[in-house]
Amino acid sequence: MSVSSASPLTPLDYMAAGYWQDFLAGRPVAGGIAYEAELHACVLDESLESLQRIDTLLSQVRRDMVKSGIWDESTLLVDEYYRNFLVFLAFYAGRVLAQQWQSRPHWYGQFELRKRYSELPLSTDDFYQHMAVGYNDNNAATDARPLFFALEPIGLRLFGHIDRPFDAVQGGQIASGLYQAVKTRLPDLSDPSSYHTSEVATPDAAQSVQSTITPSAHTETSAIANVHEQLKKAPVSHPLTQPDRVVADTETASAIATTSEPSMGAAPLPVDNHVRPELTEVAEVTQPVTKPIAPAKTSPTPEMFTQLLIELDEIEVPQTVGVAEYQKACKVLDQFEQHIAKQDKPRSQIVFSDDHIEAKNKALQTLQVAAETGNTAAMLRLAMYQLLGEGLTADNESDKKAAVDWVKQAASKNDSRAQRLLSKLYYQGVGVPQDMTNGKYWLEQASDNGHMEAANLVRQWEQAQALITTQKQEQHSTKRYQLLFGAVILIALLILIIV
């Protein structure tokens, strides 16, 4: 059944079509749209993979807003330029999702949502609840199609942090990006009634019972495996050791200030009236390519440390000591990280001049002073460089042991960032022997202290464990039924023999 036959098109349907046609034709949408060139570079081919490229773009937009000092949600939502950017991404995600259902997206504004779905606790003041897409035409006749509030994961990706939780209008947990949000709504996951299966005759009751158990067991195994994969995932392409450095060439030397305290001015803004930082990495990560799509550029820094640097900026943990020293060291180290992030090779292959190495070592010494006074942020950043083989000594094994000690000390002070990092070290066996029990313990500690990613993983773990328990109970009940059925057959045979 088509959308038009089920219900009339809404104003948002026309707007979504217009946005997409303008984008494909290279025309600016009405009012303009932020990051239009970067969106074209993401290669929006309506595939699930394109949503991963959009998530990368959103992460970089967030990071550069924070660096530029313009990361203010309320200010940006007033800007039509940015609102159009968010709305366009929502329209696109709805388009990709509906295509996976082999239907057409049908958009509802708050007026239509209140009229059709009066049970939804919609908030007029919540921008992210102003629109939703229906994406399963099979249920259109009953007006009960699944809804997707596509702005919610976009908002969480851009502005979510420990003091800015996002509440899903339909309940549950909001996904941390469009790819995951859409993936969890695919037909084979969210609506079993949409399966197109053929009838298969079963020769006896035993086979019928077995056929009901097997899918459940497969689902539970997949669930627990998925959690394990997330917890154990380690960047295999990034070595954690740093070979001897060589002298940098002139171009590299000029990229970083030679003093121990280079200037940290905000990223330059364009001439127009809209607040917008220049992106530092996305242009390199999402270059246009022809099909098949080439893999995105690999980050020079291992993922766990890239995430740590983001968390040190975004998750506030009050510090009472070593604040000035930590900030002074970060002024220098951030310059190095910005330069490293632009490279298309592992950080172990990036070269710096002797002057630059001296400036970095002075910053590390200052960072160590802050760590020794009890500043947990300094402990974590110092540990990162030691684990990367970029510490102050040439003894990698000694540095790694010291790094783990710093992370443990920060974790013992209830720093959720340290607890999450320590769980990763145990799960991945970095700097410590791989230990799933300790990894899970520190993951739970981070979750208890409000770390959103850790809380989400713990929730998935608990769901997987619940599925396993349910499956075991079902198997136990099935065995009891089979024993009872066998006893009845045996009694029947005895009766037949006696008679």
Coordinates of all heavy atoms in Angstrom, one line a residue, residues 379-440:
M379 N 46.5 13.0 35.1 CA 46.9 11.6 35.2 C 46.5 10.8 33.9 O 47.3 10.0 33.4 CB 46.2 10.9 36.4 CG 46.6 11.4 37.8 SD 45.6 10.6 39.0 CE 46.1 11.6 40.5
L380 N 45.3 11.1 33.4 CA 44.8 10.3 32.2 C 45.6 10.7 31.0 O 45.9 9.9 30.2 CB 43.3 10.5 32.1 CG 42.4 9.9 33.2 CD1 41.0 10.3 32.9 CD2 42.6 8.4 33.2
R381 N 45.8 12.0 30.8 CA 46.5 12.4 29.6 C 48.0 12.0 29.6 O 48.5 11.6 28.6 CB 46.4 14.0 29.5 CG 46.9 14.4 28.1 CD 46.1 15.6 27.6 NE 46.6 15.9 26.2 CZ 46.1 16.9 25.5 NH1 45.1 17.6 26.0 NH2 46.5 17.1 24.3
L382 N 48.6 12.0 30.8 CA 49.9 11.6 30.9 C 50.0 10.1 30.6 O 50.9 9.6 29.9 CB 50.5 11.9 32.3 CG 51.9 11.5 32.6 CD1 52.9 12.3 31.7 CD2 52.3 11.8 34.1
A383 N 49.0 9.3 31.2 CA 49.0 7.9 30.9 C 48.8 7.6 29.4 O 49.4 6.6 28.9 CB 47.8 7.3 31.7
M384 N 48.1 8.4 28.7 CA 47.9 8.2 27.3 C 49.2 8.2 26.5 O 49.5 7.3 25.7 CB 46.9 9.2 26.7 CG 46.6 9.1 25.2 SD 45.8 10.5 24.5 CE 47.2 11.5 24.1
Y385 N 50.0 9.3 26.8 CA 51.3 9.4 26.1 C 52.2 8.3 26.5 O 53.0 7.8 25.7 CB 51.9 10.8 26.4 CG 51.2 11.9 25.7 CD1 50.4 12.8 26.4 CD2 51.2 12.0 24.3 CE1 49.7 13.8 25.8 CE2 50.5 13.0 23.7 CZ 49.8 13.9 24.4 OH 49.1 14.9 23.8
Q386 N 52.2 7.8 27.7 CA 53.0 6.7 28.2 C 52.6 5.4 27.5 O 53.5 4.6 27.1 CB 53.0 6.6 29.7 CG 53.7 7.7 30.4 CD 53.5 7.7 31.9 OE1 52.5 7.2 32.4 NE2 54.5 8.2 32.7
L387 N 51.4 5.2 27.3 CA 50.9 4.0 26.7 C 51.2 4.0 25.2 O 51.4 3.0 24.5 CB 49.4 3.8 26.9 CG 49.0 3.3 28.3 CD1 47.5 3.4 28.5 CD2 49.5 1.9 28.6
L388 N 51.3 5.2 24.6 CA 51.6 5.3 23.2 C 53.1 5.3 22.9 O 53.5 5.3 21.8 CB 51.1 6.7 22.7 CG 49.6 6.8 22.4 CD1 49.2 8.2 22.2 CD2 49.1 6.0 21.3
G389 N 53.9 5.1 24.0 CA 55.3 5.1 23.8 C 55.9 6.5 23.6 O 57.0 6.6 23.1
E390 N 55.2 7.5 24.1 CA 55.7 8.9 23.9 C 55.9 9.6 25.2 O 55.8 10.8 25.3 CB 54.6 9.7 23.1 CG 54.3 9.1 21.7 CD 53.2 9.8 21.0 OE1 52.8 10.9 21.4 OE2 52.7 9.3 20.0
G391 N 56.2 8.8 26.2 CA 56.5 9.4 27.5 C 57.9 10.0 27.6 O 58.6 10.2 26.6
L392 N 58.3 10.4 28.8 CA 59.5 11.1 29.0 C 60.7 10.2 29.0 O 61.9 10.6 28.9 CB 59.5 11.9 30.3 CG 58.5 13.1 30.3 CD1 58.3 13.7 31.7 CD2 59.0 14.2 29.4
T393 N 60.5 8.9 29.2 CA 61.6 7.9 29.2 C 61.6 7.1 28.0 O 60.6 7.0 27.3 CB 61.5 7.1 30.5 OG1 60.5 6.1 30.4 CG2 61.3 7.9 31.8
A394 N 62.7 6.4 27.8 CA 62.8 5.5 26.7 C 62.4 4.0 27.0 O 62.5 3.1 26.2 CB 64.2 5.5 26.1
D395 N 62.0 3.8 28.3 CA 61.7 2.5 28.8 C 60.2 2.3 28.6 O 59.4 2.7 29.4 CB 62.1 2.3 30.2 CG 61.9 0.9 30.7 OD1 61.2 0.1 30.1 OD2 62.5 0.6 31.8
N396 N 59.8 1.7 27.5 CA 58.4 1.5 27.2 C 57.6 0.7 28.2 O 56.5 1.0 28.6 CB 58.2 0.9 25.8 CG 58.4 1.9 24.7 OD1 58.4 3.1 24.9 ND2 58.7 1.4 23.5
E397 N 58.3 -0.4 28.7 CA 57.6 -1.3 29.7 C 57.4 -0.6 31.0 O 56.3 -0.7 31.6 CB 58.5 -2.5 29.9 CG 58.5 -3.5 28.7 CD 57.1 -3.9 28.3 OE1 56.2 -4.2 29.2 OE2 56.8 -3.9 27.1
S398 N 58.4 0.2 31.4 CA 58.3 1.0 32.6 C 57.2 2.0 32.5 O 56.4 2.3 33.4 CB 59.6 1.6 33.0 OG 59.5 2.4 34.1
D399 N 57.2 2.7 31.3 CA 56.1 3.7 31.0 C 54.7 3.1 31.1 O 53.8 3.7 31.6 CB 56.4 4.4 29.7 CG 57.3 5.6 29.8 OD1 57.7 5.9 30.9 OD2 57.6 6.2 28.8
K400 N 54.6 2.0 30.5 CA 53.2 1.3 30.4 C 52.7 1.0 31.8 O 51.6 1.2 32.2 CB 53.3 0.1 29.5 CG 53.3 0.4 28.1 CD 53.3 -0.9 27.2 CE 53.4 -0.5 25.7 NZ 53.4 -1.8 24.9
K401 N 53.7 0.5 32.7 CA 53.3 0.2 34.1 C 52.9 1.4 34.8 O 51.9 1.5 35.5 CB 54.5 -0.5 34.8 CG 54.2 -1.0 36.2 CD 55.4 -1.7 36.8 CE 55.0 -2.1 38.2 NZ 54.5 -1.1 39.1
A402 N 53.7 2.5 34.6 CA 53.4 3.8 35.2 C 52.0 4.3 34.7 O 51.2 4.9 35.5 CB 54.5 4.8 35.0
A403 N 51.8 4.1 33.4 CA 50.5 4.6 32.8 C 49.3 3.9 33.5 O 48.3 4.6 33.8 CB 50.5 4.4 31.3
V404 N 49.4 2.6 33.6 CA 48.3 1.9 34.2 C 48.1 2.3 35.7 O 47.0 2.5 36.1 CB 48.5 0.4 34.2 CG1 47.5 -0.4 34.9 CG2 48.6 -0.1 32.7
D405 N 49.2 2.6 36.4 CA 49.1 3.1 37.8 C 48.4 4.4 37.8 O 47.5 4.7 38.7 CB 50.5 3.2 38.4 CG 51.1 1.8 38.7 OD1 50.3 0.8 38.7 OD2 52.3 1.8 38.8
W406 N 48.7 5.3 36.9 CA 48.0 6.6 36.8 C 46.5 6.4 36.6 O 45.7 7.1 37.2 CB 48.6 7.5 35.7 CG 49.9 8.2 36.0 CD1 51.0 8.1 35.3 CD2 50.2 9.0 37.1 NE1 52.0 8.8 35.8 CE2 51.5 9.4 37.0 CE3 49.5 9.5 38.2 CZ2 52.2 10.2 37.9 CZ3 50.1 10.3 39.1 CH2 51.4 10.7 39.0
V407 N 46.1 5.5 35.6 CA 44.7 5.3 35.3 C 44.0 4.7 36.5 O 42.9 5.1 36.9 CB 44.6 4.4 34.1 CG1 43.1 4.2 33.8 CG2 45.2 5.0 32.9
K408 N 44.6 3.8 37.2 CA 44.0 3.2 38.4 C 43.8 4.2 39.5 O 42.8 4.2 40.2 CB 44.9 2.0 38.9 CG 44.9 0.8 38.0 CD 45.7 -0.3 38.6 CE 45.6 -1.6 37.8 NZ 46.5 -2.7 38.3
Q409 N 44.8 5.1 39.6 CA 44.7 6.1 40.7 C 43.6 7.1 40.4 O 42.8 7.4 41.3 CB 46.0 6.9 40.8 CG 46.1 7.9 41.9 CD 47.5 8.5 42.1 OE1 48.5 8.0 41.7 NE2 47.5 9.7 42.7
A410 N 43.4 7.5 39.1 CA 42.3 8.4 38.8 C 41.0 7.6 38.9 O 40.0 8.2 39.3 CB 42.5 8.8 37.3
A411 N 41.0 6.4 38.5 CA 39.7 5.6 38.7 C 39.3 5.5 40.1 O 38.1 5.5 40.4 CB 39.9 4.2 38.0
S412 N 40.3 5.3 41.0 CA 40.0 5.2 42.4 C 39.4 6.5 43.0 O 38.8 6.5 44.1 CB 41.2 4.8 43.2 OG 42.2 5.8 43.2
K413 N 39.6 7.6 42.3 CA 39.1 8.9 42.7 C 37.7 9.1 42.1 O 37.2 10.3 42.1 CB 40.0 10.0 42.3 CG 41.4 10.0 43.1 CD 42.3 11.1 42.6 CE 43.6 11.2 43.4 NZ 43.3 11.7 44.8
N414 N 37.1 8.1 41.5 CA 35.7 8.1 41.0 C 35.6 9.0 39.7 O 34.6 9.6 39.4 CB 34.7 8.6 42.0 CG 34.3 7.5 42.9 OD1 34.4 6.3 42.6 ND2 34.0 7.8 44.2
D415 N 36.7 9.1 39.0 CA 36.7 9.8 37.7 C 36.1 8.8 36.7 O 36.8 7.8 36.3 CB 38.1 10.3 37.3 CG 38.1 11.2 36.0 OD1 37.4 10.8 35.1 OD2 38.9 12.2 36.0
S416 N 34.9 9.1 36.2 CA 34.3 8.1 35.3 C 35.0 7.9 34.0 O 35.0 6.8 33.4 CB 32.8 8.6 34.9 OG 32.9 9.8 34.2
R417 N 35.8 9.0 33.5 CA 36.6 8.8 32.3 C 37.7 7.8 32.5 O 38.0 7.0 31.7 CB 37.2 10.2 31.9 CG 36.1 11.3 31.7 CD 36.7 12.6 31.7 NE 37.4 13.0 32.9 CZ 37.9 14.2 33.2 NH1 37.8 15.2 32.3 NH2 38.6 14.4 34.3
A418 N 38.3 7.9 33.7 CA 39.4 6.9 34.1 C 38.8 5.5 34.2 O 39.4 4.5 33.8 CB 40.0 7.3 35.4
Q419 N 37.6 5.4 34.8 CA 37.0 4.1 35.0 C 36.7 3.4 33.6 O 36.9 2.2 33.4 CB 35.8 4.2 35.9 CG 36.2 4.5 37.3 CD 35.0 5.0 38.1 OE1 34.0 5.4 37.6 NE2 35.1 4.9 39.5
R420 N 36.2 4.2 32.7 CA 35.9 3.7 31.4 C 37.2 3.3 30.6 O 37.2 2.2 30.0 CB 35.1 4.7 30.6 CG 34.8 4.3 29.1 CD 33.9 3.1 29.1 NE 33.7 2.6 27.8 CZ 34.0 1.4 27.3 NH1 34.6 0.6 28.1 NH2 33.8 1.0 26.1
L421 N 38.2 4.1 30.7 CA 39.5 3.8 30.1 C 40.1 2.5 30.7 O 40.6 1.7 30.0 CB 40.5 5.0 30.2 CG 41.9 4.7 29.6 CD1 41.8 4.4 28.2 CD2 42.8 5.9 29.9
L422 N 40.0 2.4 32.0 CA 40.6 1.2 32.7 C 39.8 0.0 32.2 O 40.5 -1.1 32.0 CB 40.5 1.4 34.2 CG 41.2 0.3 35.0 CD1 42.7 0.2 34.6 CD2 41.1 0.7 36.5
S423 N 38.5 0.1 32.0 CA 37.8 -1.1 31.6 C 38.2 -1.5 30.2 O 38.4 -2.7 29.8 CB 36.3 -0.8 31.6 OG 35.9 0.0 30.5
K424 N 38.5 -0.5 29.3 CA 39.0 -0.8 28.0 C 40.4 -1.5 28.0 O 40.7 -2.4 27.3 CB 39.1 0.5 27.2 CG 37.8 1.1 26.8 CD 38.0 2.4 26.0 CE 36.7 3.0 25.6 NZ 36.9 4.3 24.8
L425 N 41.3 -1.0 28.9 CA 42.6 -1.6 29.0 C 42.5 -3.0 29.4 O 43.2 -3.9 28.8 CB 43.4 -0.8 30.1 CG 43.7 0.7 29.8 CD1 44.6 1.2 30.9 CD2 44.4 0.9 28.4
Y426 N 41.6 -3.4 30.3 CA 41.4 -4.8 30.7 C 40.8 -5.6 29.6 O 41.2 -6.7 29.4 CB 40.6 -4.9 32.0 CG 41.4 -4.7 33.3 CD1 41.2 -3.6 34.1 CD2 42.4 -5.5 33.6 CE1 41.9 -3.4 35.3 CE2 43.2 -5.4 34.8 CZ 42.9 -4.3 35.6 OH 43.6 -4.1 36.7
Y427 N 39.8 -5.1 29.0 CA 39.1 -5.8 27.9 C 40.0 -6.1 26.8 O 40.0 -7.2 26.2 CB 37.9 -5.1 27.4 CG 36.6 -5.3 28.2 CD1 35.9 -4.3 28.9 CD2 36.1 -6.6 28.4 CE1 34.8 -4.5 29.6 CE2 34.9 -6.8 29.1 CZ 34.3 -5.8 29.7 OH 33.2 -6.0 30.5
Q428 N 40.9 -5.1 26.4 CA 41.7 -5.2 25.2 C 43.1 -5.7 25.6 O 43.9 -6.0 24.7 CB 41.8 -3.9 24.5 CG 40.4 -3.4 24.1 CD 40.5 -2.0 23.4 OE1 41.6 -1.5 23.0 NE2 39.4 -1.3 23.3
G429 N 43.4 -5.8 26.9 CA 44.8 -6.3 27.2 C 45.9 -5.3 26.9 O 46.9 -5.7 26.5
V430 N 45.6 -4.0 27.1 CA 46.6 -3.0 26.8 C 47.2 -2.6 28.1 O 46.6 -2.0 29.0 CB 45.9 -1.8 26.1 CG1 47.0 -0.7 25.9 CG2 45.3 -2.2 24.7
G431 N 48.5 -2.8 28.2 CA 49.2 -2.4 29.4 C 49.0 -3.4 30.6 O 49.7 -3.3 31.6
V432 N 48.0 -4.2 30.5 CA 47.7 -5.2 31.5 C 47.3 -6.5 30.9 O 46.9 -6.5 29.7 CB 46.5 -4.7 32.4 CG1 46.9 -3.5 33.3 CG2 45.3 -4.4 31.6
P433 N 47.4 -7.6 31.6 CA 46.8 -8.9 31.0 C 45.3 -8.7 30.8 O 44.6 -8.1 31.6 CB 47.1 -9.9 32.1 CG 48.2 -9.3 32.9 CD 48.0 -7.8 32.9
Q434 N 44.8 -9.3 29.7 CA 43.4 -9.2 29.4 C 42.6 -9.9 30.5 O 42.9 -11.0 30.9 CB 43.1 -9.9 28.1 CG 41.7 -9.6 27.5 CD 41.5 -10.1 26.1 OE1 41.9 -11.2 25.8 NE2 41.0 -9.3 25.2
D435 N 41.6 -9.2 31.0 CA 40.8 -9.7 32.2 C 39.4 -9.2 32.0 O 39.1 -8.0 32.3 CB 41.5 -9.2 33.5 CG 40.8 -9.8 34.7 OD1 39.6 -10.1 34.7 OD2 41.5 -9.9 35.8
M436 N 38.5 -10.1 31.6 CA 37.1 -9.7 31.4 C 36.4 -9.3 32.7 O 35.6 -8.4 32.7 CB 36.4 -10.8 30.7 CG 36.9 -11.2 29.3 SD 36.9 -9.8 28.2 CE 37.8 -10.5 26.8
T437 N 36.7 -10.0 33.8 CA 36.1 -9.7 35.0 C 36.4 -8.3 35.5 O 35.5 -7.5 35.9 CB 36.5 -10.7 36.1 OG1 36.2 -12.0 35.7 CG2 35.8 -10.4 37.4
N438 N 37.7 -7.9 35.5 CA 38.0 -6.5 35.9 C 37.5 -5.5 34.9 O 37.1 -4.4 35.3 CB 39.5 -6.4 36.0 CG 40.1 -6.7 37.4 OD1 39.4 -6.4 38.4 ND2 41.2 -7.4 37.4
G439 N 37.5 -5.9 33.6 CA 36.9 -5.0 32.6 C 35.5 -4.7 32.9 O 35.0 -3.5 32.8
K440 N 34.7 -5.7 33.2 CA 33.3 -5.5 33.5 C 33.1 -4.7 34.8 O 32.2 -3.9 34.9 CB 32.6 -6.9 33.6 CG 31.0 -6.8 33.8 CD 30.4 -8.1 33.7 CE 28.9 -8.0 33.8 NZ 28.5 -7.7 35.1

